[in-house]
Amino acid sequence: MAKRRLGGPALAAALALALVLAAGEAAACDRPQGWTGGARIAGALWTAWWRPEPAPIPVGEHFSVRFHLCGPPVDRVAVRGRMPDHRHGMNYRPAVTLHGPSGTAEGLMFHMPGRWQLILDVRGAAGRETLTAETVPE
């Protein structure tokens, strides 16, 4: 019996189907079990639930963000903050610890009051996506 290799149009169709199924999983992302509070960011490939610790986010004090991602497997997540009205980011680079689809970013600080964006740059075999949430520290 001859073995059939998956390539060309068949491979492209299989990859497209995998991405559609992964996107459907991302869209159907429920709040992680046991989580209270937090917010949801929906993207094309991944959907993230995130919550700050402590909550609400304090101005001028370090805080952490816990997150959970739904969608295709994740290889790397970078977390950053940006103040779009002032066109600058944070003065600190947080350390991200990833455990499968969940993780923690520690060492964030929104050093001034106003509107901030929390940005998760997600990478995996399915591609790269930037998830952005708007927030205002108190």
Side-chain angles (χ1 to χ4, degrees), residues 8 34-35 41 65 67 81-82 103 111 114-115 136:
W35 275 43
I41 313 168
V65 168
F67 59 87
R82 177 165 171 68
H111 57 273
R115 183 173 63 99
V136 177

mmCIF file of all heavy atoms in Angstrom, residues 8 34-35 41 65 67 81-82 103 111 114-115 136:
data_model
loop_
_atom_site.group_PDB
_atom_site.id
_atom_site.type_symbol
_atom_site.label_atom_id
_atom_site.label_comp_id
_atom_site.label_asym_id
_atom_site.label_seq_id
_atom_site.Cartn_x
_atom_site.Cartn_y
_atom_site.Cartn_z
ATOM 1 N N GLY A 8 1.018 20.487 -0.852
ATOM 2 C CA GLY A 8 0.343 21.357 -1.807
ATOM 3 C C GLY A 8 -1.021 21.801 -1.330
ATOM 4 O O GLY A 8 -1.189 22.216 -0.176
ATOM 5 N N GLY A 34 -13.184 29.756 38.534
ATOM 6 C CA GLY A 34 -12.683 30.316 39.776
ATOM 7 C C GLY A 34 -12.274 31.781 39.692
ATOM 8 O O GLY A 34 -11.906 32.374 40.690
ATOM 9 N N TRP A 35 -12.328 32.372 38.500
ATOM 10 C CA TRP A 35 -11.953 33.783 38.341
ATOM 11 C C TRP A 35 -13.131 34.683 38.684
ATOM 12 O O TRP A 35 -14.258 34.418 38.295
ATOM 13 C CB TRP A 35 -11.551 34.073 36.901
ATOM 14 C CG TRP A 35 -10.136 33.775 36.587
ATOM 15 C CD1 TRP A 35 -9.423 32.687 36.967
ATOM 16 C CD2 TRP A 35 -9.255 34.581 35.796
ATOM 17 N NE1 TRP A 35 -8.152 32.762 36.455
ATOM 18 C CE2 TRP A 35 -8.021 33.898 35.734
ATOM 19 C CE3 TRP A 35 -9.396 35.793 35.138
ATOM 20 C CZ2 TRP A 35 -6.932 34.393 35.037
ATOM 21 C CZ3 TRP A 35 -8.310 36.279 34.436
ATOM 22 C CH2 TRP A 35 -7.088 35.596 34.399
ATOM 23 N N ILE A 41 -10.496 40.093 26.092
ATOM 24 C CA ILE A 41 -10.033 40.714 24.858
ATOM 25 C C ILE A 41 -10.151 39.643 23.773
ATOM 26 O O ILE A 41 -9.528 38.595 23.878
ATOM 27 C CB ILE A 41 -8.551 41.148 24.920
ATOM 28 C CG1 ILE A 41 -8.213 41.901 26.191
ATOM 29 C CG2 ILE A 41 -8.185 41.964 23.691
ATOM 30 C CD1 ILE A 41 -6.706 42.073 26.394
ATOM 31 N N VAL A 65 -0.446 41.197 36.291
ATOM 32 C CA VAL A 65 -1.602 40.830 35.481
ATOM 33 C C VAL A 65 -1.576 39.322 35.300
ATOM 34 O O VAL A 65 -0.564 38.758 34.896
ATOM 35 C CB VAL A 65 -1.579 41.525 34.100
ATOM 36 C CG1 VAL A 65 -2.608 40.915 33.166
ATOM 37 C CG2 VAL A 65 -1.808 43.008 34.250
ATOM 38 N N PHE A 67 -3.349 36.230 33.191
ATOM 39 C CA PHE A 67 -4.102 36.092 31.948
ATOM 40 C C PHE A 67 -4.287 34.624 31.595
ATOM 41 O O PHE A 67 -3.534 33.756 32.036
ATOM 42 C CB PHE A 67 -3.416 36.842 30.795
ATOM 43 C CG PHE A 67 -2.014 36.406 30.500
ATOM 44 C CD1 PHE A 67 -1.758 35.347 29.631
ATOM 45 C CD2 PHE A 67 -0.935 37.031 31.100
ATOM 46 C CE1 PHE A 67 -0.468 34.937 29.358
ATOM 47 C CE2 PHE A 67 0.367 36.633 30.833
ATOM 48 C CZ PHE A 67 0.597 35.581 29.957
ATOM 49 N N GLY A 81 2.491 48.088 28.507
ATOM 50 C CA GLY A 81 1.472 49.117 28.685
ATOM 51 C C GLY A 81 1.802 50.320 27.823
ATOM 52 O O GLY A 81 2.980 50.610 27.565
ATOM 53 N N ARG A 82 0.778 50.998 27.367
ATOM 54 C CA ARG A 82 0.966 52.179 26.525
ATOM 55 C C ARG A 82 -0.090 53.208 26.875
ATOM 56 O O ARG A 82 -1.242 52.884 27.103
ATOM 57 C CB ARG A 82 0.855 51.783 25.060
ATOM 58 C CG ARG A 82 0.954 52.930 24.107
ATOM 59 C CD ARG A 82 1.213 52.463 22.687
ATOM 60 N NE ARG A 82 1.100 53.546 21.738
ATOM 61 C CZ ARG A 82 1.918 54.580 21.632
ATOM 62 N NH1 ARG A 82 2.942 54.670 22.449
ATOM 63 N NH2 ARG A 82 1.734 55.520 20.739
ATOM 64 N N GLY A 103 -0.820 32.606 32.270
ATOM 65 C CA GLY A 103 0.435 33.200 32.674
ATOM 66 C C GLY A 103 0.259 34.380 33.586
ATOM 67 O O GLY A 103 -0.862 34.797 33.889
ATOM 68 N N HIS A 111 2.638 54.755 35.532
ATOM 69 C CA HIS A 111 3.256 55.776 36.383
ATOM 70 C C HIS A 111 2.520 57.109 36.410
ATOM 71 O O HIS A 111 2.918 58.000 37.148
ATOM 72 C CB HIS A 111 4.718 55.983 35.966
ATOM 73 C CG HIS A 111 4.888 56.372 34.538
ATOM 74 N ND1 HIS A 111 4.982 55.430 33.530
ATOM 75 C CD2 HIS A 111 4.976 57.578 33.951
ATOM 76 C CE1 HIS A 111 5.132 56.056 32.380
ATOM 77 N NE2 HIS A 111 5.129 57.354 32.604
ATOM 78 N N GLY A 114 -4.618 58.503 33.902
ATOM 79 C CA GLY A 114 -5.137 58.667 32.549
ATOM 80 C C GLY A 114 -5.446 57.329 31.913
ATOM 81 O O GLY A 114 -5.377 56.277 32.547
ATOM 82 N N ARG A 115 -5.779 57.368 30.639
ATOM 83 C CA ARG A 115 -6.150 56.167 29.887
ATOM 84 C C ARG A 115 -4.894 55.425 29.439
ATOM 85 O O ARG A 115 -3.995 56.002 28.833
ATOM 86 C CB ARG A 115 -6.995 56.557 28.669
ATOM 87 C CG ARG A 115 -7.490 55.385 27.847
ATOM 88 C CD ARG A 115 -8.456 55.848 26.768
ATOM 89 N NE ARG A 115 -7.825 56.725 25.807
ATOM 90 C CZ ARG A 115 -7.374 56.350 24.607
ATOM 91 N NH1 ARG A 115 -7.497 55.093 24.227
ATOM 92 N NH2 ARG A 115 -6.832 57.222 23.793
ATOM 93 N N VAL A 136 -8.142 52.342 32.938
ATOM 94 C CA VAL A 136 -7.780 53.588 33.621
ATOM 95 C C VAL A 136 -7.434 53.245 35.065
ATOM 96 O O VAL A 136 -8.293 52.763 35.813
ATOM 97 C CB VAL A 136 -8.931 54.624 33.575
ATOM 98 C CG1 VAL A 136 -8.559 55.873 34.342
ATOM 99 C CG2 VAL A 136 -9.313 54.942 32.141
#
